């Protein structure tokens, strides 16, 4: 007998070789029907795999992320079976699950020879997948020796699987079979194909084998599946909404930004509307940071090579930096980070413990050489404007300072209506000290423990992720979700125990001895580029009034009311409200429709009645007609809305 420990702490005995599915059945048949996979001692397994020793067990159903991953990976195998049926001789590279924000499901990279797929092929493959799913074939796991595996794929003439086998150790090789399809795979998989009820093959793309453009281009098929049609329909509807909210589409429609080949890829031209948003965000940041005791600084866009050798950016970050410029026998680099410049500002004069914490901030312009294939609208650019700051403190001050930064994030979340977020505590990998990470094992442990304690003590939701720290210390990556559930990485909050040593920074402590400060790097609003991209999609271009490039449009119903329109315009401008007149020779209905499409928060429709009464008929974006109001009353109300940064 073996002992199985369940998540609630209960311990039950089962026959050796029992599976997670057997355990589920012993609890209830209804639960067993929902189980897709299992976590055995923290490792995701097939629900049907025999358990031969005492173990902790968690049954995974559709609501678990690991279950979805297993479901979609099994769906990739089902699609491969359909492809093999339709295109005999097809060869398969890799077919992983995808769960990246709104992009969910799976893909498979396939060598179809000279065959090019089209939309009709996808529809036929969908039908075949549905037919195969209904057969409810079991996903069968078998262990193979390396020699057996090599022999199998040599006979099939499959160079792709033979290549994968080169890096696998004997005794670790497994095959999975469902129906007529067998594949080299480490799993896990769902119990049987019958769980796959709703199928949609989304698109076809090209993908170079191993991602190397020197290799053959394979056909990549993307798909998504669900355990019922309702969830698939809801997901497809969400994707349609996401297309409407795509920041690249809205950025063009609303004249927020432009990109130009003669300027260069990844270099954003901010148009007047986008510049208004930038200025409002900077105003918010400056108000918040001033209240929190930050001093503002300004630093140059480039610096000599020596400072980046000192900081470590050149050895660790060289591939992401622009090539150097040579002047007067010296190499200069466009700055990829503001940090080294800020360290020099800290070091401009001697500090004592009374000067700490020392907080400095700027919206610094940085340049990073992102690869051409990685550039993406505002989300991945080569010139970025960062809401950057550095806090220099001692160890006693660290917890309060780190907590205050996290509280600043949460304040911003409330302002922008971000309801879902999580902090990713990114840790180092001890095996990579001296390579990817600075070789200070004791400092790594100390600072990681300090950050973790702050998060726990403040009840901040967080997850831990190995091998994603900055090279100089642990960090928090802030993950947020837009109004439609799309995930974004907003910004970071980083601990740096290394730069103080490298730059020989010090302050005089209470014992009149030199001490190296801890440094916190933080950027709560990230960069203008990424954050405005997020806001465009989050608000679907319908910015709250305080952030909207144009806050009010005045719509006279004919030219004879233009004098009154100009009077209103001047009063609005005197109240610092961004407004304009639509003086086109168009019917008022068209003016209203166009203003709705331009996503202007307020419209003031004026005619003879409004002019005679000193009023305006107010229309609110998304709410329609609010009735006539005295102009002074309207200005008071909208001014309060702007001042409070109301949503």
């Amino acid at each position: 007998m073996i002992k199985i420990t369940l998540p609630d702490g209960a311990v039950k005995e089962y026959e050796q070789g029992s599976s997670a599915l057997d355990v589920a059945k012993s609890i209830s048949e209804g639960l067993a029907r929902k189980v897709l996979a299992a976590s055995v001692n923290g490792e995701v397994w097939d629900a049907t795999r025999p358990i031969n020793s005492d173990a902790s067990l968690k049954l995974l159903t559709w609501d678990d992320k690991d279950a979805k991953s297993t479901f979609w990976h099994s769906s990739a195998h089902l699609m491969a079976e359909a492809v093999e049926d339709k295109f005999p001789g097809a060869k398969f590279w890799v077919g992983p699950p995808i769960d990246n924000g709104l992009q969910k499901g799976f893909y498979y990279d396939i060598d179809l020879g000279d065959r090019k797929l089209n939309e009709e092929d996808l529809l036929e493959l969908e039908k075949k997948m549905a037919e195969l799913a209904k057969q409810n074939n079991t996903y069968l796991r078998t262990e193979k020796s390396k020699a057996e595996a090599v022999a199998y794929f040599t006979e099939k003439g499959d160079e792709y699987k033979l290549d994968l086998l080169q890096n696998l150790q004997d005794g670790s090789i497994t095959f999975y079979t469902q129906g007529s399809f067998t594949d080299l795979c480490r799993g896990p998989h769902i119990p049987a194909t019958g769980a796959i009820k709703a199928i949609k093959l989304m698109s076809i793309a090209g993908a170079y084998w191993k991602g190397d453009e020197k290799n053959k281009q394979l056909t990549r098929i993307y798909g998504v599946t669900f355990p019922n049609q309702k969830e698939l329909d809801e997901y497809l509807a969400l994707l349609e909404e996401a297309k409407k909210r795509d920041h690249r589409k809205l950025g063009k429609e609303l004249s927020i930004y432009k990109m130009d080949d003669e300027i260069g890829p990844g270099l954003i031209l901010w148009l007047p509307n986008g510049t208004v948003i930038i200025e409002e965000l900077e105003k918010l940041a400056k108000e918040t940071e001033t209240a929190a005791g930050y001093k503002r600084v300004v630093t140059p866009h480039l610096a000599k090579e020596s400072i980046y050798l000192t900081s470590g950016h050149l050895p660790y970050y060289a591939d992401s930096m622009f090539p150097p410029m040579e002047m007067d026998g010296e190499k200069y680099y466009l700055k990829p980070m503001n940090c080294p410049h800020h360290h020099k500002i800290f070091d401009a004069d001697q500090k004592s413990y009374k000067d700490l914490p020392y907080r400095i901030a700027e919206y610094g312009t940085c340049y990073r050489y992102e690869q051409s294939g990685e550039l993406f609208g505002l989300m991945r650019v080569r010139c970025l404007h960062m809401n950057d700051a550095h806090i220099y403190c001692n160890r006693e001050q660290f917890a309060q300072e780190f907590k205050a930064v996290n509280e600043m994030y949460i304040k911003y979340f409330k302002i922008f209506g971000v309801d879902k977020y999580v902090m990713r505590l990114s840790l180092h990998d001890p095996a990579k000290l001296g390579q990817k990470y600075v070789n200070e094992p004791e400092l790594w442990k100390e600072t990681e423990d300090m950050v973790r304690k702050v998060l726990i003590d403040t009840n901040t939701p967080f997850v831990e992720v190995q091998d994603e720290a900055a090279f100089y210390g642990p960090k928090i990556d802030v993950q947020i979700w837009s109004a439609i559930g799309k995930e974004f990485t907003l910004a970071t909050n980083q601990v740096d125990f290394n730069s103080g040593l490298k730059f020989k920074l010090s302050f005089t402590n209470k014992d009149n001895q030199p001490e190296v400060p801890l440094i916190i790097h933080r950027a709560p609003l990230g960069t203008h580029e990424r954050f405005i991209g997020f806001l465009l999609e989050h608000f679907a271009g319908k910015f709250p009034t305080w952030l909207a490039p144009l806050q009010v449009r005045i719509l006279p119903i004919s030219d004879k009311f233009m004098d009154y329109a100009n009077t209103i315009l001047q009063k609005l401008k005197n109240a610092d409200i961004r407004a304009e007149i639509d003086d086109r020779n168009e019917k008022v209905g068209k003016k209203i429709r166009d203003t709705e499409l331009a996503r202007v928060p307020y419209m003031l429709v004026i005619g003879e009645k409004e002019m005679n009464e000193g009023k305006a008929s107010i229309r609110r974006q998304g709410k329609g007609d609010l009735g006539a109001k005295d102009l002074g009353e309207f200005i008071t109300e909208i001014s309060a809305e702007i001042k409070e940064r109301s949503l």
Side-chain angles (χ1 to χ4, degrees):
M1 300 293 286
I2 57 172
K3 292 180 179 179
I4 300 296
T5 303
L6 299 174
D8 64 359
V11 179
K12 296 186 177 183
E13 289 193 345
Y14 292 90
E15 293 287 340
Q16 187 177 25
S18 296
S19 68
L21 203 55
D22 293 327
V23 175
K25 287 176 181 176
S26 75
I27 299 171
S28 82
E29 288 292 338
L31 174 61
R33 286 193 292 271
K34 294 178 181 178
V35 170
L36 297 171
S39 173
V40 180
N41 295 327
E43 183 181 350
V44 184
W45 278 27
D46 307 317
T48 55
R49 184 174 170 183
I51 303 171
N52 292 311
S53 59
D54 295 348
S56 61
L57 174 69
K58 180 183 178 184
L59 300 171
L60 303 179
T61 63
W62 178 249
D63 292 334
D64 294 285
K65 185 175 182 180
D66 287 329
K68 287 185 172 72
S69 179
T70 304
F71 188 90
W72 286 325
H73 182 45
S74 300
S75 300
H77 279 234
L78 183 68
M79 183 183 75
E81 185 180 2
V83 169
E84 195 170 63
D85 179 82
K86 182 173 173 57
F87 305 111
K91 298 175 184 177
F92 302 90
W93 172 229
V94 290
I98 309 167
D99 193 355
N100 180 22
L102 289 184
Q103 189 179 20
K104 300 180 185 299
F106 57 89
Y107 70 80
Y108 221 126
D109 288 346
I110 308 165
D111 184 349
L112 294 169
D114 297 329
R115 173 76 195 212
K116 302 296 182 186
L117 295 187
N118 56 41
E119 291 298 319
E120 288 184 4
D121 291 321
L122 291 189
L123 291 174
E124 287 186 28
L125 289 171
E126 275 182 27
K127 291 177 183 176
K128 187 63 180 179
M129 286 177 70
E131 176 189 319
L132 294 170
K134 287 177 181 177
Q135 293 175 8
N136 200 27
N137 291 318
T138 300
Y139 285 90
L140 180 64
R141 179 180 187 270
T142 55
E143 297 180 1
K144 299 284 186 182
S145 69
K146 189 165 185 175
E148 288 174 323
V150 169
Y152 179 85
F153 286 109
T154 299
E155 184 179 347
K156 291 189 72 173
D158 191 331
E159 64 270 31
Y160 302 105
K161 299 302 181 185
L162 289 170
D163 183 84
L164 283 172
L165 282 166
Q166 288 181 24
N167 298 315
L168 298 181
Q169 297 297 316
D170 208 351
S172 66
I173 297 168
T174 53
F175 282 22
Y176 277 84
T177 299
Q178 93 279 351
S180 63
F181 180 72
T182 297
D183 202 3
L184 172 69
C185 181
R186 66 182 178 187
H189 285 282
I190 62 177
T193 62
I196 303 169
K197 304 288 188 185
I199 301 163
K200 178 65 178 175
L201 297 185
M202 305 294 292
S203 61
I204 307 161
Y208 291 108
W209 182 35
K210 298 184 178 181
D212 187 340
E213 61 184 14
K214 295 176 183 177
N215 290 336
K216 182 173 182 176
Q217 190 174 69
L218 306 179
T219 299
R220 176 172 292 180
I221 304 177
Y222 287 95
V224 68
T225 54
F226 287 89
N228 59 70
Q229 189 63 39
K230 180 175 178 289
E231 289 198 53
L232 174 58
D233 291 342
E234 289 173 351
Y235 174 69
L236 295 177
L238 194 62
L239 289 184
E240 283 303 310
E241 179 63 23
K243 286 180 185 177
K244 296 175 188 175
R245 291 173 180 249
D246 189 311
H247 77 274
R248 296 166 298 175
K249 175 177 177 287
L250 291 172
K252 183 176 182 180
E253 289 176 1
L254 301 178
S255 298
I256 302 295
Y257 73 98
K258 182 180 189 295
M259 301 178 77
D260 190 285
D261 287 342
E262 287 195 276
I263 298 297
L267 304 173
I268 305 300
L269 294 170
W270 290 101
L271 304 178
N273 284 347
T275 304
V276 168
I277 299 172
I278 285 174
E279 290 174 345
E280 288 294 338
L281 292 175
E282 286 194 7
K283 182 180 176 183
L284 169 63
K286 288 175 181 178
E287 286 177 7
T288 303
E289 289 163 357
T290 298
Y294 289 80
K295 298 179 174 68
R296 302 210 69 77
V297 297
V298 177
T299 60
H301 290 219
L302 74 171
K304 290 163 67 174
E305 176 185 46
S306 57
I307 198 170
Y308 298 119
L309 289 170
T310 300
S311 71
H313 283 106
L314 273 178
Y316 286 98
Y317 210 77
D319 290 346
S320 296
M321 294 173 67
F322 275 86
M325 299 168 276
E326 295 205 21
M327 295 178 290
D328 302 326
E330 297 274 7
K331 289 182 179 179
Y332 286 79
Y333 284 86
L334 291 169
K335 66 174 178 180
M337 302 282 191
N338 299 302
C339 326
H341 296 67
H342 285 193
H343 300 335
K344 289 295 185 181
I345 288 175
F346 176 87
D347 200 37
D349 49 50
Q350 181 58 44
K351 304 288 189 299
S352 84
Y353 69 93
K354 294 180 180 179
D355 298 309
L356 271 56
Y358 185 75
R359 311 178 189 98
I360 53 176
E362 73 168 323
Y363 254 105
T365 306
C366 298
Y367 301 86
R368 298 179 187 171
Y369 187 74
E370 300 282 2
Q371 297 298 316
S372 297
E374 295 176 344
L375 296 173
F376 180 72
L378 293 175
M379 298 303 176
R380 295 292 291 269
V381 295
R382 288 177 173 168
C383 174
L384 41 127
H385 302 79
M386 189 178 295
N387 171 223
D388 214 353
H390 292 83
I391 302 168
Y392 302 81
C393 63
N394 61 35
R395 279 163 168 72
E396 291 73 31
Q397 296 164 332
F398 172 81
Q400 180 56 39
E401 291 301 308
F402 204 81
K403 174 186 173 186
V405 171
N406 285 343
E407 288 173 346
M408 188 181 290
Y409 279 102
I410 293 168
K411 172 189 172 180
Y412 287 144
F413 296 160
K414 290 178 180 176
I415 289 173
F416 294 103
V418 174
D419 298 320
K420 183 180 178 184
Y421 65 91
V422 69
M423 308 289 191
R424 285 164 50 97
L425 173 53
S426 299
L427 308 173
H428 79 299
D429 180 351
K432 297 179 181 178
L433 289 174
Q435 303 165 29
K436 186 176 179 181
Y437 305 107
V438 293
N439 193 12
E440 296 284 351
E442 291 182 6
L443 286 174
W444 275 107
K445 183 178 187 312
E446 178 187 9
T447 50
E448 287 177 351
D449 287 346
M450 290 166 69
V451 173
R452 187 183 291 108
K453 186 175 188 305
V454 172
L455 293 170
I456 292 170
D457 289 349
T458 55
N459 295 316
T460 302
F462 75 100
V463 295
E464 295 193 10
V465 184
Q466 291 291 136
D467 197 23
E468 289 190 11
F471 68 83
Y472 47 66
K475 66 175 180 173
I476 287 175
D477 288 313
V478 183
Q479 303 297 117
I480 60 176
W481 281 261
S482 72
I484 61 167
K486 186 173 181 180
E487 184 178 358
F488 292 80
T489 300
L490 172 62
T492 61
N493 186 9
Q494 303 176 357
V495 186
D496 184 348
F497 56 74
N498 186 58
S499 294
L501 294 167
K502 286 201 164 191
F503 282 86
K504 299 180 181 178
L505 305 181
S506 67
F507 64 94
T508 305
N509 64 23
K510 290 180 181 179
D511 298 324
N512 205 32
Q513 296 298 315
E515 186 175 324
V516 178
L518 276 176
I519 304 169
I520 298 173
H521 306 243
R522 44 110 290 187
L525 294 178
T527 66
H528 287 324
E529 290 73 18
R530 179 176 285 271
F531 194 52
I532 292 175
F534 164 77
L535 292 176
L536 278 164
E537 299 192 5
H538 183 56
F539 291 121
K542 298 175 183 177
F543 292 105
T545 304
W546 70 273
L547 198 55
L550 180 65
Q551 295 165 326
V552 178
R553 184 174 282 169
I554 305 161
L555 311 180
I557 64 174
S558 73
D559 287 348
K560 65 181 181 179
F561 304 111
M562 283 301 298
D563 287 344
Y564 182 49
N566 278 301
T567 299
I568 293 174
L569 179 64
Q570 193 56 53
K571 288 182 178 180
L572 292 171
K573 287 187 173 181
N574 290 343
D576 288 328
I577 296 164
R578 296 186 288 273
E580 68 178 27
I581 299 170
D582 186 341
D583 58 3
R584 296 176 300 159
N585 185 24
E586 297 282 0
K587 292 182 178 180
V588 72
K590 178 169 174 51
K591 291 182 179 182
I592 290 171
R593 286 192 297 276
D594 290 347
T595 305
E596 286 279 355
L597 290 173
R599 297 165 174 82
V600 179
Y602 286 96
M603 291 172 255
L604 304 188
V605 182
I606 57 171
E608 189 164 357
K609 185 174 186 292
E610 288 80 12
M611 183 178 68
N612 292 337
E613 295 178 357
K615 295 183 177 182
S617 291
I618 315 297
R619 293 185 67 89
R620 183 69 163 95
Q621 168 72 233
K623 294 183 179 178
D625 188 3
L626 302 181
K629 284 190 179 181
D630 177 80
L631 191 59
E633 180 186 357
F634 171 71
I635 290 175
T636 299
E637 289 177 357
I638 191 175
S639 296
E641 183 182 340
I642 292 167
K643 183 179 179 181
E644 293 167 7
R645 295 190 172 97
S646 170
L647 284 170

